[in-house]
Structure formats: C-alpha cells, structure tokens
C-alpha cells in the first residue's frame, strides 16, 4: 500500500546491440485501477540511429497511489511492446497491489492541516518572520493516528539561513504534528514536507509552500545592459540597448510584490536625440526588476543612465555612442602633398578623415582599404575614435611611375554601399635644367647691359620637382666681381604640381660697372640640390669692357631669333576651365648677339602648324595672334596661341624675311600641346566584350574584357592618362593602371569568383545570375561621371525534356515528334556565345532546332533556351528492315566541354 516497485528490462538483439533507428518501445498497464497504480520512467521511447548499448537498458516504476480500497489486493500486469524493422515482440509482467499496511494500519496517510501557501518576512524586515506548519497522520481507515513520530524537512530552500525550530514532532490525540519555520536573510519560495515511516516505506505529505517576502527598497542594481556600444541613429549599426535594473532590500533581496516601487530614469552626457522608453515603470511583482529600452541619438559620445526611486538611485550604466557609417561628403584625405620624389625613401603617411551624416567621426574600428599605383601601400586600416585611419605608402623608385598617380581609400557605408575617395598627386624625378635662348650655352654682356636668363627646372615629363630641393645661382670667373645677379638667385622648392609657375625661373645677369671695369670671362652656375643629388647647368659668359665694343652698323641687322620665354607648354581646349592660351616671347639679335635696337626694328612673321589628335567634326583649331609683329625697343616680339575645341599639338616658328641679301632667319620650332578636356557624362561609354559571361563553375578562369570610351564635351578623347575606376558587385575587376590611352580608351578585365550574383549578392533591381559592372571617373567640377552595364553570368549546360514521346516507331516514310526540350544553366539562362546544340540519330532526317550555334545573348526563349525538333525516315524508298536508332542531343560548350543526352529511342524503317 502506497509503495513503489522498480522494474528494469533490456531490449536488444541476440548480440546485445540496440534496435535500429525508429524502433518504438511502449510500456502499458493492464487491469489498473484509475486511482491505483501509476507508471513512470521509460514508458515510451523511439530509438535514434546509434550503436551505443546504453540504448538497450530501460527502467519503469510502478507506484501505489491509491486513496481507497487500501484493504484490497488488486492484480495488475505490465506489457512492454517493441515495434520496428527488426521485428515486433511483447513481454508481460504480472504483479499485485497489496492490501498490507504497517503498524496494524496505524499509518495510512499524512496530509498538511493547512495546505494553502503562506508568507512571512525576511529576518529583520518586520513581522511575521515565522509560521507554524502542521501535518495530520491518519490510519488506513482514515482515523487520526496519535503518538506517531513525524519528521519535518525543508525540501526547497533559498539558502538564506531559514530553519525549522524542530524537525521531529509526535502526533497528538488528533493525529497532528507541529513545527515552526523561521525566515532567514533571503527571499523566495520555501517548501516544508512532513514524512512518516511505515515499515520500510516512507509516506510523505504534499509540500507546504511558504513565501519569504522581502523588505522595503534600499538599493537599485544594474543587472544588465544588452549593448554597451551603440551607433548614432541611422548610422547602420545597433541603435538600441536593453537595460535591466533590480530593486533590492537592505539584505540584497530583489523586492517582491509587497514592496513594489516606481523607477524613473535620468540620462546625462552626449544626449542629443537620445530616447528611453518607458520614462518610468513599476517593478515586476515577482522579480523586482524594471526593463527599459534606450535609443541612440544623433551625437556620438558617452551617456550615463540611472534608475531612481525617491532618494534611492542606481549606479550609472555607461553606454558609448559611436558614429555611423561613412558618407561621401565627409570622406577626405588629410595632409597629402601634391608632389613626391621617386627617390624618397621615407614612407609617406596617408591619412583619411571619415565622418557620418551627422558630422560625427565614424564608429571606431571602421575598416578602410587603401590602394595606390605609386608603390606599396598599407592594404587596410581601421579608424580611431576621431574617425581617422592611417596608412603608409612606400614610393617605388621606378621611372615608369613618373607622372600623375593616385591613392584611393574605400569603406562600406549605409546598406552596404561602397564609399570611396581618390586623390591624385605627381611623382617626379631628377631635375633637368633647360635655359632658353642661349645658343651654345654662351652669353655676351656688353658694357653696362644685362640679359635675362629664362630657364626651366623640371623632371623628364615637365613636372616641377619635389619639395626638399633648393635652387642656387652663382657666378665665378675673372670678372665675377663685376657681375650683378638678381631674380630667382636662390629658391626653396615648395609642394606644387603647377607645370608653369613651379618650373619657370628667371635670373638677370648684368654689368655692375657701366662705362668702367675690365673685360673678361665668367661662368653662371645654376645648381639644384636635394634628395635626387646635385644637378648643375653651367653657362659660359664674356663681359666686354667699353674699349672692346666697336660694332659696325652692318652688324646691327637681324642675325638670329631666340625664344626668351613661354608662359605655358601645355594648354587646354577652350571652355573646360584650364589655361587656354600661351604667350611666346622672342628676341631678335644682331651678329654679335645683342638685341637689335628700335632703329633696326625687324618685322617678324609667325607660322603655326596644328597636328590634331583626330578629326572631330565641327571643332575649331588653335588660333595664332598676331600673324605679323615688329620688335620693340628691346628687340623683342610676342605671339599668343589660343586654343580651340580640338586637341593636338601646335608647332610655332618665328621668321624674318631679309632682302639684302635675300635670306630667311628662323627660330627653333616650339611645340605647344593642346590637351583634351575633362570627361563628360554624355561622352562616357562602357561596353563589355560580351554580355553572356560563362563564369559559374569557372572561378578565376573566367575573364571578361570591359572597355570604357571617355571623351570631353567637344567629342575629343580625354587627356591621355585620365584615371577610370572600375568596380563590380560580383567577382573581381582590375583597377590598377586604369588610365586612358590617346584615343580615350581603357580596358580592364572582370575575373569570375565570389561573390557570385546570387541573392543577397545582387545589384539593385537585378535577379539571380545578372551582375552589374560600374566605371567611374571625375569631371572638371569633381562630379562623378559614371556608366554601368548588366551582364549575365551563365553556367554549365543542363538538359530538361519538356515534351514528346520517350520511344518512337517510324514506318517507311513516316515521322515522329515533335520533341521539345530545354538547354540552359541551373538558373534557366541561355548558354554563352559559341555553344553548339545539335540533335542527330541514325536513319533520321531531323528538322527544327537541330543545329544551333548560340549568339551572345542574355535572353531566354525559343531557339535560345527552348528547342523543338521533329524526325522522319531519312530514306522513304529503301527496302532495308527497321533499324534501332537513338535521338541524341549533343551540347558543346567552349568552356564546359561536350555533354550528351538521349531524347528518345526507337526504330526507323
């Protein structure tokens, strides 16, 4: 009576192994009284796929839970039923619910006198802090049983020091035993149970539930902050954090329903736009907790949140709000120079400053990727708290890199959009010193006169040399003390890419002692010192004393024309914002090298030949003004070259026609480059070598040429060397050395690889398989000039039969079909250009789509992805018996090779 019995059993095969997966084991009882025996344990099991022998051992318990018929013997039986692919089997055990009871029936049951839950206070938090627990023992016949020892125990504790004043009590005449539960320092649910012994069995009461309640609110704790770092609103990162606060009494217990409190929240710090919801809340009656949600604002920084209730407040919960994603308008390079020497061996620091749309620094650790065509650059860096990311560029000493170069940085903005900035600079080489208008590097100074030395210091491409160089012009020789120099005698080279102002220099060399001094020789040395070493240009000079000058009138006629200066050697076509004219100054000299006087004024004609890059209908050639002019009092004359709308080169000559004797004096030809304008959106075209790109399953080997044609607004090809940037949503496309040639063309190659154009890796508006390639450059106003093209990434051929019989029997002169089928890749897209699709069969004449050579197409449909053929007897007049034939589809792909399928089989007579 009221006892339990455990039954262990094994379910295994003859080798002791568990049954196969899915085998069902079910234990049921037969003849059970509904208020009697109860089964528990492994009553119903379904086996997994295992060879673990622990899955052969099972246990069930039978418990006597009767509340009536305690004096009866009730027979029962228990059946174990096994069902599965190994076979089905049953095993039955018989048993008995016995009528035997202990102590002559003195102990039949035990129950709580007051089973309802009660509550007390934690120690020190008020009264009551104890409660009596009573249990009644009844005989098997339901009568009170006195003098029975009852053991009380705490079966569920909060481990706060709660205790029973007595654990053993003897029942009184009414069968009642009593103990007292005293509270400790922790709140929560405590359960007390009464147990009485009966023979070898223990009969227990249901547990008595006693709730130990907390004291009043004494402190507020911060239990959790789901996110301690947030992004500014709309910045693309996590914007919300869940905060959990807990109210506690003086003993540290979470306050319960009897001491609920209302918490309000205070926020301090960088709180622009910060919101917390709710603004106040009542503690949970069961946990003493309050949960609030904090939303970030528009300002990055640090905020602190406290929960308050009256004079009680929590410690601060600190949350850092970082900037959002980068925006193009606040993505800039800082401190990058315009000009670097290829001889520089110290790495160049590259720094970008990136802000979000609110002007905050982007969130720390935002990754930034760097590229450059000027050397070796740090591949990636992360922003610091101020939004700066630093890289290092080691310039390579290679003359092939001279000229305009770029450094580029990119990161990811909102919604995964790439944010990229590039900046150009020039790499310059060793200085070359070129002096204009000094034949044979020799000058002659007449007494009391001076001459102007116009010279250019530039590298081999005509660019100004890098900062860190110094110019020094000196004079030595026997009459050096009689020579006065002025102008650009000393000059520290600054950071410039100005090909005019940064390369042209002028020094006046004159006689210090007019009408005096002695004649003699001297040398003018033009020296440049810097990271490239020392470069010197030496001019030989001769100073004539007054007594040495005796020039006959016949020597005062024009004998040579020297170019004194050129304001620019490169001009831009009209209307694009660059320098549109160049002024050339010539000096006409007599036979002794002196400028002709106003008395011997000469008429100079100018001749210009224009060599355009290519013919542009409607364009205009450069203009030369004036065509003819006379020398001034210094023997000089000037001519202006004004650009038109055609790019090319102008070759200018100055000449004088003399008639006694008849001869022509010519200057050396001067070449002026007329450069194209900036890229124009209406003249910017992208074109792939093909639109169907066989790239799925052809990773890295797939190679698609993409070409850009860039022109200016007058239809000239843009300036050679204009940088064009390529990018693609899928695969990898080259960007290094993406500069235009003289025809405005640049070609890069898309390489097949991840991410493939499968959702979610798709450009906006495209479906699976389609990818978009972008090309971008910059116009004169720093606006982006862009174009894009959509291509189809196709894969290996797959065959699907869509109609027609699987077998055929063609009588003499008969036919069969039509047979319909599709040949497409796994996304139902067409094969790439050059794929052949053929259908043949022995003894068959095949009509329809039996011999297809695929064009370059992105479209699907009849003749592209769906095909139809019909067959007939190839020789209606033969007398041969029927032959076996297979209608065979052969697909030969230029990348994926040849594949064959059988459309149908049969006989043809």
């Amino acid at each position: 009576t009221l006892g339990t019995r455990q039954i262990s059993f094994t379910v295994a095969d003859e080798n002791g192994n568990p049954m196969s997966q899915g085998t069902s084991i079910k234990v049921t009882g037969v003849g059970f009284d509904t208020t009697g025996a109860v089964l528990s344990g492994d009553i119903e099991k379904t086996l997994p796929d295992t060879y673990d022998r622990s899955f052969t051992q099972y246990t069930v318990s039978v418990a006597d839970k009767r509340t009536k018929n305690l004096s009866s013997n009730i027979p029962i039986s228990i059946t174990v039923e096994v069902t599965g692919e190994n076979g089905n089997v049953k095993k039955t055990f018989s048993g008995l619910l016995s009528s035997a009871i202990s102590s002559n029936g003195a102990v039949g049951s035990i129950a709580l006198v007051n089973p309802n839950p009660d509550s007390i206070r934690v120690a020190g938090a008020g009264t009551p802090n104890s409660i009596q627990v009573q249990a009644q023992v009844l005989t098997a016949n339901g009568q009170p049983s006195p003098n029975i020892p009852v053991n009380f125990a705490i079966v569920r504790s909060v481990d706060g020091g709660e205790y029973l004043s007595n654990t053993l009590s003897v029942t009184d005449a009414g069968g009642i035993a009593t103990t007292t539960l005293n509270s400790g320092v922790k709140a929560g649910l405590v359960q007390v149970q009464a147990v009485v012994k009966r023979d070898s069995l223990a009969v227990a009461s249901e547990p008595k539930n006693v709730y130990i309640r907390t004291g009043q609110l004494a402190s507020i704790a911060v239990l959790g902050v789901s996110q301690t770092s947030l992004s500014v609103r709309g910045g693309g990162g996590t914007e919300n954090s869940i905060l959990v606060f807990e109210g506690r009494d003086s003993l540290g217990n979470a306050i319960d329903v009897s001491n609920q409190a209302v918490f309000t929240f205070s926020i301090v710090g960088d709180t622009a736009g910060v919101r917390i919801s709710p603004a106040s809340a009542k503690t949970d009656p069961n946990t003493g907790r309050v949960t609030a949600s904090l939303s970030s604002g528009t300002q990055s920084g640090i905020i602190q949140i406290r929960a308050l209730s009256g004079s009680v407040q929590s410690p601060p919960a600190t949350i850092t709000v970082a900037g959002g994603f980068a925006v193009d308008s606040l993505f800039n390079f800082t401190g990058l120079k315009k000009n670097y020497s290829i001889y520089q061996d110290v790495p160049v620091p590259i720094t970008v400053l990136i802000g979000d749309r609110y002007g905050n620094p982007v969130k720390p650790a935002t990754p930034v990727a760097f590229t450059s065509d000027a050397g070796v650059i740090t591949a990636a860096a992360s922003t610091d708290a101020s939004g700066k990311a630093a890289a290092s560029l080691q310039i390579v000493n290679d003359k092939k890199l001279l000229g305009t170069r770029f450094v580029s940085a990119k990161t990811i903005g909102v919604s995964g959009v790439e944010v990229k900035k590039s900046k150009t600079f020039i790499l310059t080489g060793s200085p070359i010193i070129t002096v204009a208008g000094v034949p044979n590097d020799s000058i002659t100074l007449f007494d009391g006169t001076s001459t102007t030395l116009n010279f250019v210091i530039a590298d081999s491409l005509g660019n100004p040399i890098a900062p860190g160089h110094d110019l020094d012009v000196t004079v030595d020789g026997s009459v050096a003390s009689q020579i006065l120099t002025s102008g650009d005698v000393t000059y520290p080279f600054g950071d410039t890419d100005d090909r005019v102002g940064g390369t042209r220099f002028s020094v006046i060399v004159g006689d210090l002692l007019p009408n005096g001094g002695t004649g003699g020789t001297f040398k003018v040395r033009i020296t440049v010192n810097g990271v490239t070493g020392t470069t010197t240009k030496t001019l030989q000079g001769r100073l004539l004393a007054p007594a040495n000058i005796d020039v006959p009138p016949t020597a005062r006629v024009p004998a040579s024309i020297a170019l004194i200066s050129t304001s620019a050697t490169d001009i831009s076509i009209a209307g694009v914002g660059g320098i549109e004219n160049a002024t050339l100054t010539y000096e006409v000299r007599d036979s002794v090298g002196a400028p002709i006087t106003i008395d011997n004024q000469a008429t100079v004609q100018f001749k210009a030949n224009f060599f355009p890059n290519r013919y542009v209908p409607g364009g205009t050639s450069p203009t030369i003004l004036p065509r003819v002019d006379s020398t001034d009092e210094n023997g000089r004359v000037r001519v202006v070259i004004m650009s038109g709308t055609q790019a090319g080169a102008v070759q200018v000559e100055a000449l004088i026609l003399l008639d006694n004797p008849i001869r022509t004096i010519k200057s050396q030809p001067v070449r002026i480059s007329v450069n194209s304008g900036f890229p124009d959106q209406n003249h910017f075209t992208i074109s792939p070598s093909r639109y169907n790109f066989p790239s799925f399953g052809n990773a890295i080997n797939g190679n698609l040429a993409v070409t850009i044609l860039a022109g200016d607004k007058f239809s000239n090809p843009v300036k050679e060397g204009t940088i064009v940037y390529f990018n693609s949503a899928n695969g990898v496309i080259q960007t290094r050395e993406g500069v235009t040639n003289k025809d405005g063309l640049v070609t890069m190659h898309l390489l097949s690889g991840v991410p493939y154009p499968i959702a979610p890796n798709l450009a906006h508006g495209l479906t699976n398989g389609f990818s978009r390639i972008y090309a971008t450059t910059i116009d004169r106003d720093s606006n982006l000039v862009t174009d894009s093209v959509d291509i189809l990434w196709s894969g290996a051929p797959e065959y699907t039969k869509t109609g027609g019989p699987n077998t055929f029997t063609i009588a003499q002169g008969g036919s069969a079909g039509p047979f319909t089928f599709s040949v497409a890749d796994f996304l139902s897209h067409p094969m790439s250009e050059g794929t052949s699709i053929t259908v043949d069969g022995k003894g068959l004449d095949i009509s329809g789509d039996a011999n297809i050579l695929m064009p370059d197409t992105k479209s699907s449909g009849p003749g592209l992805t769906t095909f139809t053929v019909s067959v007939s007897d190839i020789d209606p007049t033969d007398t041969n018996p029927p032959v076996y034939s297979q209608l065979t589809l052969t697909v030969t792909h230029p990348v994926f090779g040849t594949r064959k399928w059988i459309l149908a089989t049969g006989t043809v007579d």
Side-chain angles (χ1 to χ4, degrees):
T1 302
L2 303 179
T4 60
R5 183 68 178 269
Q6 183 169 287
I7 302 173
S8 297
F9 60 95
T10 298
V11 178
D13 69 0
E14 61 269 25
N15 296 313
N17 294 313
M19 297 296 99
S20 62
Q21 182 179 11
T23 297
S24 163
I25 301 173
K26 188 173 184 181
V27 181
T28 57
V30 178
F32 279 33
D33 189 303
T34 56
T35 58
V38 175
L39 280 173
S40 61
D42 300 322
I43 297 174
E44 189 165 354
K45 295 288 183 180
T46 300
L47 293 186
D49 178 24
T50 182
Y51 53 72
D52 185 353
R53 292 196 176 192
S54 66
F55 284 85
T56 64
Q57 304 299 319
Y58 303 94
T59 301
V60 294
S61 292
V62 186
D64 182 0
K65 297 291 185 178
R66 290 179 291 176
T67 60
K68 60 183 178 178
N69 299 325
L70 298 177
S71 60
S72 303
N73 292 327
I74 301 175
I76 60 173
S77 63
I78 300 167
T79 300
V80 180
E81 184 175 4
V82 181
T83 305
E85 63 181 2
N86 293 72
N88 304 327
V89 68
K90 290 184 179 180
K91 181 77 171 181
T92 300
F93 307 89
S94 297
L96 188 71
L97 299 183
S98 172
S99 62
I101 58 175
S102 65
S103 304
N104 296 320
V107 178
S109 65
I110 184 170
L112 296 171
V113 174
N114 177 18
N116 296 321
D118 284 303
S119 64
I120 58 177
R121 296 286 181 186
V122 293
T127 58
N129 55 21
S130 65
I131 190 171
Q132 282 191 343
V133 179
Q134 294 182 322
Q136 185 178 39
V137 180
L138 300 175
T139 67
N141 296 319
Q143 298 300 315
S145 184
N147 301 315
I148 301 297
V150 177
N151 287 292
F152 290 92
I154 297 175
V155 294
R156 174 170 175 169
S157 172
V158 292
D159 296 326
E162 64 277 10
Y163 65 96
L164 297 172
S165 59
N166 58 293
T167 59
L168 178 63
S169 177
V170 178
T171 58
D172 60 15
I176 295 175
T178 303
T179 189
T180 300
L181 172 65
N182 298 274
S183 65
V185 296
K186 287 189 178 180
L189 173 63
V190 175
Q191 292 181 328
V192 179
Q193 192 173 45
V195 178
V196 63
K197 296 293 183 178
R198 184 185 67 195
D199 295 335
S200 61
L201 300 177
V203 181
S205 70
E206 293 294 324
K208 168 71 173 179
N209 291 333
V210 179
Y211 292 97
I212 301 178
R213 301 298 185 184
T214 64
Q216 294 181 343
L217 177 69
S219 65
I220 303 175
V222 180
L223 282 194
V225 181
S226 66
Q227 299 289 336
T228 57
S229 297
L230 299 180
S231 172
V232 294
R233 187 181 310 155
T238 302
E239 300 177 9
N240 296 283
S241 181
I242 304 300
L243 297 94
V244 180
F245 299 90
E246 182 179 84
R248 295 175 177 175
D249 65 12
S250 60
L251 298 176
N253 298 294
I255 60 174
D256 55 20
V257 64
S258 64
N259 291 292
Q260 281 182 280
V262 175
F263 291 177
T264 57
F265 304 101
S266 71
I267 310 174
V268 297
D270 301 302
T271 60
V274 174
R275 298 189 298 267
I276 192 166
S277 178
S280 64
K282 196 172 186 179
T283 56
D284 184 272
N286 298 312
T287 64
R289 297 177 181 177
V290 167
T291 299
S293 176
L294 180 87
S295 299
S296 63
T298 59
Q299 181 178 358
S300 63
I302 297 176
I303 56 178
Q304 289 186 335
I305 307 95
R306 293 179 187 266
L308 304 94
S309 179
S311 61
V312 180
Q313 65 177 6
S314 71
T318 302
I319 295 178
T320 301
V321 180
F325 280 105
V327 293
D328 184 78
S329 60
L330 294 177
F331 191 158
N332 296 291
F333 285 89
T334 62
L336 189 66
K337 294 181 180 179
K338 299 177 181 179
N339 189 333
Y340 293 96
S341 172
I342 63 170
Y343 295 94
Q344 176 168 318
D345 56 4
V346 177
V348 176
I350 306 292
T351 303
V352 290
L353 177 61
I354 312 175
D356 67 10
R357 64 175 180 166
Y358 298 111
N360 301 300
V362 293
K363 51 189 175 184
T366 296
V368 182
F370 293 89
T371 55
S372 177
D373 62 352
V376 179
I377 193 170
T378 305
S382 298
T383 56
D384 59 16
S386 61
K388 291 183 178 181
S392 178
L393 171 64
Q394 181 62 65
I395 295 173
V396 176
N397 185 352
D398 185 347
K399 293 183 179 180
K400 294 179 181 178
L401 298 180
L402 291 176
T404 302
R405 294 291 149 191
F406 77 89
V407 61
S408 176
K410 66 180 180 180
T411 186
I412 302 299
V414 177
S415 301
V417 175
E418 183 179 85
V419 182
K420 183 175 184 179
K421 277 296 176 71
S422 295
K423 191 166 185 180
T424 59
F425 52 89
I426 57 174
L427 289 186
T428 54
S430 300
I432 299 173
I433 304 172
T434 305
V435 182
V438 181
N440 302 318
D441 291 338
S442 179
I443 58 177
T444 299
L445 283 182
F446 294 92
D447 178 65
T449 64
S450 63
T451 187
T452 300
L453 300 179
N454 294 297
F455 55 95
V456 173
I457 300 176
D459 68 2
S460 59
L461 296 182
N463 288 314
I465 59 176
H469 289 83
D470 293 293
L471 168 65
D472 190 18
V473 179
T474 59
V475 177
D476 58 26
S478 62
V479 293
S481 61
Q482 301 178 43
I483 301 297
L484 176 67
T485 58
S486 61
D488 299 321
V489 177
T490 60
Y491 179 80
F493 287 85
D495 179 33
T496 181
D497 56 5
D498 185 352
R499 293 168 63 97
V500 177
T503 62
R504 284 152 175 76
F505 302 91
S506 178
V507 171
I508 299 173
V509 179
D511 182 8
L512 182 62
L513 303 173
N515 299 313
T518 61
T521 61
F522 61 92
K523 293 181 179 180
V524 178
R525 301 186 191 277
I526 304 172
T527 304
V528 178
N529 288 294
V531 67
T532 56
T534 300
T535 303
T536 300
K537 177 75 171 181
T538 301
L539 304 179
Q540 303 295 329
R542 183 165 62 101
L543 176 64
L544 299 179
N548 299 127
I549 301 174
D550 184 13
V551 182
T554 56
R556 291 295 186 180
V557 298
S560 63
I561 304 175
L563 176 68
I564 298 301
S565 65
T566 304
S567 66
T569 58
D570 290 284
I571 60 176
S572 299
I573 62 172
V576 301
I579 298 174
E580 298 180 4
N581 56 72
T583 301
L584 285 69
T585 301
Y586 293 92
E587 185 176 85
V588 179
R589 297 171 177 170
D590 60 21
S591 58
V592 296
I596 62 172
T597 64
I598 194 68
D599 297 328
N600 295 296
Q601 190 177 36
T603 300
V604 181
Q605 300 181 22
F606 300 101
K607 178 181 179 184
N609 293 316
F610 180 55
F611 305 95
N613 284 352
R614 57 170 54 193
Y615 177 69
V616 180
T620 58
S621 302
T623 303
I624 185 168
L625 291 174
R627 290 283 181 175
V628 179
D629 201 2
S630 299
T631 56
D632 59 14
E633 63 274 10
N634 296 315
R636 295 187 175 182
V637 66
R638 295 161 186 82
V639 66
V640 177
I641 305 297
M642 296 186 297
S643 64
T645 60
Q646 285 182 280
V650 182
Q651 184 169 291
V652 182
E653 287 183 319
L655 54 92
I656 300 174
L657 302 179
L658 299 176
D659 54 7
N660 188 22
I662 296 175
R663 64 191 187 280
T664 299
I665 302 172
K666 290 185 178 182
S667 68
Q668 292 293 322
V670 178
R671 188 179 181 90
I672 304 294
S673 296
V674 183
N675 295 318
S676 305
F678 286 93
D680 177 63
Q681 182 65 64
N682 294 326
H683 295 82
F684 191 73
T685 306
I686 187 172
S687 177
S689 59
R690 50 186 168 177
Y691 290 91
N692 188 317
F693 181 33
S695 47
F696 282 115
N698 190 31
I700 301 176
N701 295 317
N703 188 314
L704 177 71
V706 183
T707 299
I708 285 296
L709 173 61
D712 64 18
K713 68 178 182 179
F714 296 107
S715 298
N716 298 297
V718 294
K719 184 178 180 180
E720 185 175 358
T722 297
I723 297 175
V724 179
Y725 303 97
F726 291 79
N727 68 290
S728 171
N730 309 102
V732 174
I733 192 165
Q734 299 165 321
T735 56
R736 181 174 174 82
E737 298 180 358
V739 295
T740 56
N741 62 14
K742 63 183 180 63
D743 295 319
L745 296 171
V746 56
T747 299
M748 290 290 123
H749 291 85
L750 174 68
L751 304 178
S752 58
V754 295
Y756 291 108
I758 299 291
N761 301 314
L762 295 175
H764 178 71
L766 298 186
T767 56
N768 286 341
F770 287 89
S771 179
R772 184 167 293 148
I773 303 171
Y774 303 85
T776 306
T777 187
I778 300 174
D779 66 11
R780 61 168 289 185
D781 299 319
S782 297
N783 297 316
L784 294 181
V785 176
T786 64
D787 198 7
S788 64
V789 64
D790 294 343
I791 62 168
L792 172 65
W793 288 43
S794 61
E798 296 183 1
Y799 152 77
T800 303
K801 186 176 181 181
T802 57
N806 293 326
T807 61
F808 56 84
T809 301
I810 300 177
Q812 186 76 30
S815 62
F819 300 89
T820 60
F821 59 93
S822 70
V823 176
D825 68 8
F826 71 105
L827 293 174
S828 301
H829 292 145
M831 295 296 96
S832 63
E833 182 180 16
T835 302
S836 68
I837 301 173
T838 59
V839 181
D840 58 14
K842 182 178 180 181
L844 298 174
D845 183 18
I846 304 173
S847 60
D849 300 321
N851 193 0
I852 300 293
L853 184 64
M854 289 296 295
D856 180 29
T857 181
K858 299 185 288 185
S859 302
S860 300
L864 298 174
T865 55
T866 61
F867 306 91
T868 302
V869 296
S870 296
V871 298
S872 59
D873 183 5
I874 196 170
D875 189 353
T877 62
D878 72 345
T879 58
N880 298 325
V883 296
Y884 174 78
S885 181
Q886 290 182 334
L887 188 60
T888 302
L889 167 65
T890 302
V891 179
T892 301
H893 195 287
V895 172
F896 300 109
T898 299
R899 304 185 182 188
K900 293 186 177 184
W901 294 275
I902 304 300
L903 291 175
T905 60
T907 60
V908 57
D909 196 351

